[in-house]
């Protein structure tokens, strides 16, 4: 089984709809991240969480919110989706104390299209 | 502001040929530099990591170099294969921070 899973894998929605993307991990890592990827722009950080009670904004948090329901679960919400939020979304986890130099382990991604 | 610049943006080579991808960074203080490979439609996967004291590190046909003085890294791919077609992303972590800085990636296409 994959260590980091994301649901759904693909989603098409309409402008103004509320959308939730979910991420689950079995790696036992405390740190979790949400990124979006757009062609030519690379990965950009939306939100990150260093433990269940810690939530931090990344460089492009406007229009997004997150919830850390448990160590293993980190959800990303778009309260009112707009077309420029069409992108590939990745969840990632890391453990900076494992000797892996804070390697990030990514999920398979969610392709979101907002019409 | 911490920045990571990669070149070229895209590259097309023939199967069996070698290629070199470049990464320049202005992240300070430096902790480590990692190269990720991202296949189309998948999440990035780590290829290799370079710490401050390392100059060269190999992982099969992939060889990464680091020059901490000039703040440059390269990823050399030897005897390319069709499966090397992917995006290669340079990521730098600054000391004291656990938030990495990502480059925009180099898209490599290997043609038969």
């Amino acid at each position: 089984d994959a260590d980091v899973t994301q649901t759904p894998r693909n989603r098409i929605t309409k402008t103004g709809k509320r959308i939730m993307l979910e991420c689950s991990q079995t790696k036992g890592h405390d740190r979790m991240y949400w990124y979006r990827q757009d062609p030519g722009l690379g990965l950009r950080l939306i939100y990150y969480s260093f433990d269940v009670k810690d939530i931090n904004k990344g460089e492009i948090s406007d229009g997004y919110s997150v919830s850390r329901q448990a160590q293993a679960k980190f959800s990303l919400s778009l309260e009112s989706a707009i077309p420029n939020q069409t992108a590939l979304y990745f969840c990632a986890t890391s453990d900076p104390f494992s000797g892996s130099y804070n390697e990030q382990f990514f999920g398979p991604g969610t392709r979101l299209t907002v019409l | 502001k911490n920045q990571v610049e990669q070149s070229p943006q895209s590259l097309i080579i023939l199967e069996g040929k070698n290629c070199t991808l470049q990464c320049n960074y202005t992240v300070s203080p430096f902790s480590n530099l990692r190269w990720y490979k991202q296949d189309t439609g998948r999440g990035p996967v780590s290829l290799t990591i370079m710490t401050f004291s390392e100059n060269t590190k190999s992982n099969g046909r992939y060889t990464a170099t680091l020059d901490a003085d000039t703040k440059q890294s390269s990823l050399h791919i030897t005897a390319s294969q069709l499966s090397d077609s992917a995006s290669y992303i340079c990521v730098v972590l600054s000391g004291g921070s656990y938030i990495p800085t990502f480059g925009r990636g180099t898209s490599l296409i290997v043609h038969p």
Side-chain angles (χ1 to χ4, degrees):
Chain A
D1 288 338
D3 294 321
V4 184
T5 57
Q6 294 183 231
T7 56
R9 292 295 313 280
N10 290 281
R11 180 72 183 268
I12 299 174
T13 190
K14 295 182 179 180
T15 297
K17 294 292 187 181
R18 184 178 188 274
I19 297 297
M20 179 179 286
L21 309 183
E22 299 186 343
C23 176
S24 294
Q25 53 113 348
T26 59
K27 301 191 74 65
H29 291 170
D30 285 328
R31 302 190 175 195
M32 299 187 73
Y33 312 78
W34 274 105
Y35 293 92
R36 67 176 279 176
Q37 187 175 42
D38 300 274
L41 293 181
L43 285 153
R44 292 182 292 167
L45 183 63
I46 306 172
Y47 271 95
Y48 61 100
S49 169
F50 283 359
D51 64 42
V52 175
K53 297 181 180 180
D54 177 75
I55 301 290
N56 303 280
K57 293 182 177 180
E59 61 178 297
I60 55 163
S61 60
D62 287 349
Y64 301 94
S65 63
V66 292
S67 173
R68 185 78 184 268
Q69 302 95 323
Q71 185 205 40
K73 296 185 182 296
F74 193 33
S75 300
L76 176 72
S77 294
L78 287 68
E79 297 302 325
S80 179
I82 56 177
N84 76 1
Q85 291 178 313
T86 293
L88 190 54
Y89 290 84
F90 286 102
C91 173
T93 74
S94 73
D95 178 3
F97 309 112
S98 67
S100 69
Y101 296 100
N102 204 40
E103 176 181 358
Q104 297 206 334
F105 296 87
F106 288 84
T110 293
R111 185 168 297 280
L112 177 66
T113 302
V114 183
L115 302 177
Chain B
K1 180 181 178 182
N2 291 336
Q3 288 189 315
V4 176
E5 301 288 341
Q6 292 187 243
S7 62
Q9 184 176 353
S10 62
L11 183 62
I12 300 174
I13 62 173
L14 291 176
E15 186 178 14
K17 297 297 186 181
N18 303 336
C19 67
T20 300
L21 314 180
Q22 301 289 346
C23 174
N24 296 335
Y25 61 92
T26 57
V27 176
S28 182
F30 176 85
S31 176
N32 61 69
L33 182 148
R34 193 181 296 273
W35 285 93
Y36 284 86
K37 179 186 180 187
Q38 183 179 19
D39 292 316
T40 301
R42 294 178 177 269
V45 176
S46 179
L47 283 175
T48 184
I49 182 171
M50 307 289 289
T51 59
F52 186 85
S53 60
E54 296 173 305
N55 301 117
T56 303
K57 184 175 285 187
S58 293
N59 178 3
R61 294 179 297 101
Y62 301 100
T63 299
T65 66
L66 175 67
D67 186 333
D69 292 332
T70 61
K71 299 186 177 181
Q72 296 180 325
S73 176
S74 65
L75 181 68
H76 185 74
I77 304 174
T78 302
S80 61
Q81 300 176 356
L82 299 180
S83 60
D84 293 331
S85 294
S87 178
Y88 292 85
I89 304 171
C90 177
V91 183
V92 182
L93 189 66
S94 66
S97 170
Y98 295 109
I99 303 301
T101 302
F102 286 78
R104 296 186 177 189
T106 292
S107 176
L108 174 65
I109 298 175
V110 180
H111 279 163

